[in-house]
Amino acid sequence: MNLAQGVQLVSFAILALMTLGAALGVVLLSNIVYSAFLLGGVFISISGIYILLNADFVAAAQILIYVGAVNVLILFAIMLVNKREDFPAVNSGSWSRKGATALVCFGLFALLGTMVLVTPWSLDLSGAIANTVLTIGQHFFSDFLLPFELASILLLIAMVGAIILARRDFIPEKSSKAETETPVLTLPERPRTLASVGSSNKED
Amino acid sequence: MIQLQYCLLLAAALFCIGIYGLITSRNAVRVLMSIEILLNAVNLNLMAFSNFTDPAEIKGQIFTVFVITVAAAEAAVGLAIILAIYRNRNTIDMEQFNLLKW
């Protein structure tokens, strides 16, 4: 093992520890804002692992899209639903639920780990190519052209759908005497009737 | 020298952490964050296979770009749905999102 391989191994170990620790923090911390910022740490660590795996373009795309768009979107959602509520305890024991879930997840990890370590992978050690952006572009515009265009249409549909879902209903009509009164600086929004929260889960 | 198995084990651990958060979270935004962790674990698998078994024509990276696209669309639509539910029910507790329960 020469110096470069040792540096790669140590970097991978540090990035893996950062990823797992930040992911555990996302799942286990009680404050949701800490979870959102630790999620950014997960994304940046995974981007570093991508760089170790000879994929510079996807690492840059990971940082741009996940840290720059998805994480900021999640932070906006946290601020828009900023309501510090203590969730009421469910009637069956929550610790037994968490214990059973942890047991199932650990079992799944043991299964996957055994599969990974037992399977003889057919490795191809011919070395990485120099210019990944060129190869990715050639794939996008030759044999992956239809999925590429479909992805753009999917993004357009998702943006329009998100705007329609998150839009508030405005009241378009306007009374004539409202012009003379002092303008009230509120959004002209129809008052919503809240659905009955927590009334229908009494029976179970 | 990184082995293929290290990356796959890391992705499996990340996937299991994501599933644990997906099941046990009460906050709806944290459920979306767990889904993002799951998609990142899948991406890590794809990138590892792309580097170690197909380094000449990197099709795993193409698939990763598509998964990132779908994840961005999913995050936008999911957060919009959470905002709509929050305006209707005035809570983000997953235990009280029982509109479709009979």
Side-chain angles (χ1 to χ4, degrees), chain A residues 170-176 188 190:
Chain A
F170 289 107
I171 302 173
E173 71 266 15
K174 186 186 295 181
S175 64
S176 61
R190 184 182 302 144

Side-chain angles (χ1 to χ4, degrees), chain A residues 4-204:
Chain A
Q5 291 178 351
V7 168
Q8 274 191 7
L9 195 60
V10 170
S11 310
F12 181 80
I14 291 173
L15 285 171
L17 279 180
M18 280 174 58
T19 308
L20 290 180
L24 281 175
V26 168
V27 170
L28 295 177
L29 283 184
S30 61
N31 196 340
I32 188 75
V33 183
Y34 294 166
S35 294
F37 281 109
L38 281 177
L39 189 66
V42 173
F43 293 154
I44 291 177
S45 307
I46 288 180
S47 162
I49 294 175
Y50 288 172
I51 291 176
L52 280 180
L53 291 175
N54 305 311
D56 44 359
F57 173 73
V58 186
Q62 165 95 5
I63 287 184
L64 278 177
I65 296 174
Y66 272 112
V67 184
V70 174
N71 207 0
V72 172
L73 200 64
I74 285 175
L75 277 172
F76 266 103
I78 288 171
M79 285 186 276
L80 282 175
V81 295
N82 191 8
K83 182 184 182 186
R84 299 195 176 276
E85 57 179 338
D86 294 326
F87 299 127
V90 291
N91 38 16
S92 65
S94 65
W95 284 108
S96 65
R97 287 187 183 193
K98 287 182 180 176
T101 310
L103 196 65
V104 168
C105 291
F106 189 75
L108 180 62
F109 175 68
L111 197 66
L112 286 173
T114 311
M115 184 271 296
V116 164
L117 292 179
V118 165
T119 308
W121 303 104
S122 64
L123 295 182
D124 184 2
L125 297 177
S126 62
I129 56 176
N131 200 347
T132 62
V133 182
L134 195 62
T135 311
I136 289 175
Q138 281 172 354
H139 277 302
F140 270 155
F141 287 100
S142 60
D143 48 353
F144 287 95
L145 183 61
L146 182 63
F148 184 66
E149 302 294 336
L150 281 181
S152 62
I153 294 176
L154 172 76
L155 274 180
L156 178 67
I157 292 172
M159 289 308 130
V160 175
I163 290 172
I164 288 178
L165 277 174
R167 189 183 57 176
R168 293 165 184 254
D169 290 332
F170 289 107
I171 302 173
E173 71 266 15
K174 186 186 295 181
S175 64
S176 61
K177 68 184 182 63
E179 305 284 338
T180 62
E181 295 175 352
T182 59
V184 182
L185 294 177
T186 55
L187 281 177
E189 185 184 2
R190 184 182 302 144
R192 283 178 180 271
T193 59
L194 291 177
S196 62
V197 174
S199 65
S200 61
N201 56 0
K202 291 277 173 29
E203 69 262 15
D204 53 1

